[in-house]
Amino acid sequence: MNVNEYLSNWAACYKKDLIENILPFWLKNGLDRKHGGVYTCLDRDGSLMDTTKSVWFQGRFGFIAAYAYNNIEKNPEWLAASKSCIDFIEAHCFDADGRMYFEVMEDGTPLRKRRYVFSEGFAAIAMSEYAIASGDHTYAEKALELFKRIMHFLNTPGILEPKYLDTLKSQGHSITMILVNTASRIRAAINDPLLTEQIDRSIKALRTYFMHPEFKALLEMVGPDGEFIDSINGRTINPGHCIETAWFILEEAKYRNWDKELVDMALTILDWSWDWGWDKEYGGIINFRDCKNLPPQDYSQDMKFWWPQTEAIIATLYAYQATGNEKYLEMHKQISDWTYAHFPDKEYGEWYGYLHRDGTVAQPAKGNIFKGPFHIPRMMIRSYTLCEEIMKK
């Protein structure tokens, strides 16, 4: 394999797909030019199916539009889209208690609130990325304050309703890993010791509690001290989620001049998760596995969703950048070839989100409350920059 030629081709593909397909699709069909913010419940052709707005995606697209502005080109339309999402968040998405909603109507009327702090995390990274793009440091300060509020909510008993009653004490992978990325994105705009301290805590928890060498797996739910919970939920492996965690850690390792301990940890998680996730029969990353190889409970267990594939594309590039080991470039080729053969909609643009195990389309909508302009454009932006960096070595 001619590595530079390979990376150059993929870099060009990612950039072209982002600026000619993905972002134009969402700016045309998703951006709400009346109320502000973004709609995500779009049918295959981009037509609006539901005006309900995902609060997650106000932050997610606010981040993506600014992230593209900062890393691809200084497109004023992208910067304006980011600001529209952030303005909508500030005007409509906070409850009186300082927590954020999960779903709102198109005009911002509240619909639903959940016991998580992911809405707050996505809003914070939107504000920090917009601060870098616009040069307005007040948004970096807002992002940091919101992060401090997130930590207050998480660390103060009684604010967030626990997932289980006291009969089952547990902790989850999701919030542990997302705080690594949230803190690192904010740190790019405003440095505060609190951010790196939280990254350290999360990484320690991932290593100490969630990594289980006896299964060669990073588990989604464990006991307070990492105890294995021998239940369907306790045995769950989410390979895409774990692969995403691996590249978050590799990104932090890179920030720390390729800290060897972090690189080794991330590669272990990536290798384990690839072994669990890669579908040897049909290709692609599968949704859920059971660490004892028992039947998973989730009805989508053998489907291929869009986002695990995008996380694997990023993670394998990071792993190659960290090691120079062509094994990871081969893995990148496997996942990239499979993803680009199955997910892009060649007729209407954008990507399908939900495929059957064999790669056929399960349903053709381009978005809903959970799928929208985040994982796919983030992959394209991050992977383009990684390819460029590796070629410059």
Side-chain angles (χ1 to χ4, degrees):
M1 180 191 294
N2 182 320
V3 173
N4 270 14
E5 183 182 344
Y6 174 81
L7 293 172
S8 178
N9 288 340
W10 274 114
C13 173
Y14 296 138
K15 185 174 181 179
K16 184 177 193 297
D17 206 4
L18 178 80
I19 65 176
E20 295 182 12
N21 175 19
I22 303 299
L23 289 180
F25 183 93
W26 288 100
L27 290 168
K28 177 187 175 185
N29 301 306
L31 202 63
D32 182 350
R33 299 176 193 281
K34 180 180 178 184
H35 305 99
V38 67
Y39 297 112
T40 55
C41 298
L42 305 185
D43 203 353
R44 182 186 176 194
D45 62 357
S47 57
L48 191 62
M49 300 190 297
D50 184 340
T51 58
T52 300
K53 283 178 177 166
S54 163
V55 173
W56 282 14
F57 268 99
Q58 307 314 308
R60 282 174 158 184
F61 192 49
F63 167 77
I64 286 296
Y67 194 49
Y69 183 92
N70 288 329
N71 290 280
I72 304 297
E73 63 180 50
K74 306 293 186 198
N75 185 325
E77 187 182 11
W78 299 350
L79 191 64
S82 176
K83 180 68 158 50
S84 175
C85 291
I86 293 168
D87 287 348
F88 187 87
I89 287 169
E90 293 192 301
H92 304 294
C93 296
F94 285 94
D95 198 355
D97 62 1
R99 290 179 56 209
M100 292 183 70
Y101 299 111
F102 177 67
E103 293 174 290
V104 297
M105 293 183 182
E106 62 181 335
D107 65 357
T109 303
L111 282 174
R112 187 179 171 202
K113 194 171 169 182
R114 295 176 81 192
R115 56 180 178 77
Y116 305 112
V117 289
F118 297 120
S119 293
E120 290 84 349
F122 296 131
I125 64 171
M127 291 172 181
S128 60
E129 201 66 28
Y130 180 78
I132 297 168
S134 66
D136 187 341
H137 193 68
T138 61
Y139 284 92
E141 292 165 0
K142 288 177 183 180
L144 181 60
E145 285 308 307
L146 190 48
F147 187 83
K148 290 176 180 176
R149 198 185 304 172
I150 290 168
M151 300 315 301
H152 172 70
F153 294 153
L154 288 170
N155 296 326
T156 307
I159 293 181
L160 302 177
E161 184 182 343
K163 188 168 187 174
Y164 291 91
L165 298 175
D166 285 345
T167 44
L168 179 62
K169 294 187 185 300
S170 63
Q171 56 177 324
H173 172 213
S174 296
I175 189 59
T176 310
M177 59 85 84
I178 204 67
L179 288 172
V180 175
N181 183 253
T182 304
S184 72
R185 292 296 88 220
I186 297 169
R187 187 179 60 192
I190 183 169
N191 208 342
D192 186 287
L194 171 74
L195 299 167
T196 299
E197 286 165 13
Q198 180 53 51
I199 292 169
D200 288 340
R201 276 195 298 273
S202 284
I203 289 174
K204 183 179 179 182
L206 291 165
R207 181 190 292 114
T208 309
Y209 303 140
F210 292 92
M211 291 178 72
H212 277 252
E214 69 272 28
F215 303 116
K216 293 189 173 180
L218 190 154
L219 299 176
E220 289 298 301
M221 183 179 87
V222 295
D225 295 312
E227 302 93 334
F228 172 58
I229 300 170
D230 197 356
S231 67
I232 290 174
N233 288 335
R235 293 192 300 267
T236 295
I237 301 167
N238 183 331
H241 211 203
C242 301
I243 289 168
E244 184 177 15
T245 295
W247 79 253
F248 287 174
I249 298 170
L250 282 169
E251 190 168 71
E252 186 62 20
K254 181 179 176 180
Y255 178 81
R256 302 181 188 196
N257 297 312
W258 295 113
D259 179 283
K260 186 179 184 305
E261 191 177 352
L262 291 184
V263 170
D264 291 347
M265 176 187 174
L267 295 178
T268 299
I269 294 171
L270 175 57
D271 290 345
W272 285 354
S273 306
W274 182 275
D275 287 344
W276 281 107
W278 180 258
D279 186 340
K280 295 176 181 63
E281 183 175 355
Y282 291 104
I285 302 294
I286 207 163
N287 265 2
F288 296 107
R289 297 292 304 273
D290 181 294
C291 70
K292 289 188 172 182
N293 279 308
L294 295 168
Q297 181 166 256
D298 197 291
Y299 51 83
S300 66
Q301 51 90 25
D302 67 346
M303 291 178 70
K304 307 290 167 55
F305 283 11
W306 77 105
W307 66 267
Q309 325 308 320
T310 62
E311 303 310 323
I313 289 170
I314 299 171
T316 50
L317 278 177
Y318 255 125
Y320 178 71
Q321 186 181 40
T323 65
N325 186 339
E326 290 207 13
K327 168 183 112 169
Y328 294 111
L329 219 52
E330 288 297 330
M331 288 162 65
H332 176 267
K333 185 177 189 311
Q334 273 183 274
I335 188 61
S336 298
D337 288 351
W338 194 89
T339 299
Y340 268 83
H342 293 88
F343 280 94
D345 181 349
K346 294 175 177 61
E347 186 176 354
Y348 288 100
E350 235 277 344
W351 287 20
Y352 301 114
Y354 302 89
L355 307 184
H356 297 296
R357 185 182 172 194
D358 65 0
T360 56
V361 177
Q363 64 100 322
K366 296 300 163 53
N368 52 38
I369 291 297
F370 298 102
K371 182 189 182 290
F374 182 63
H375 291 94
I376 295 166
R378 180 174 72 170
M379 177 276 288
M380 291 168 179
I381 299 164
R382 184 71 281 184
S383 297
Y384 168 78
T385 57
L386 284 170
C387 288
E388 290 288 314
E389 288 170 8
I390 296 166
M391 287 189 291
K392 287 176 184 171
K393 263 189 169 181

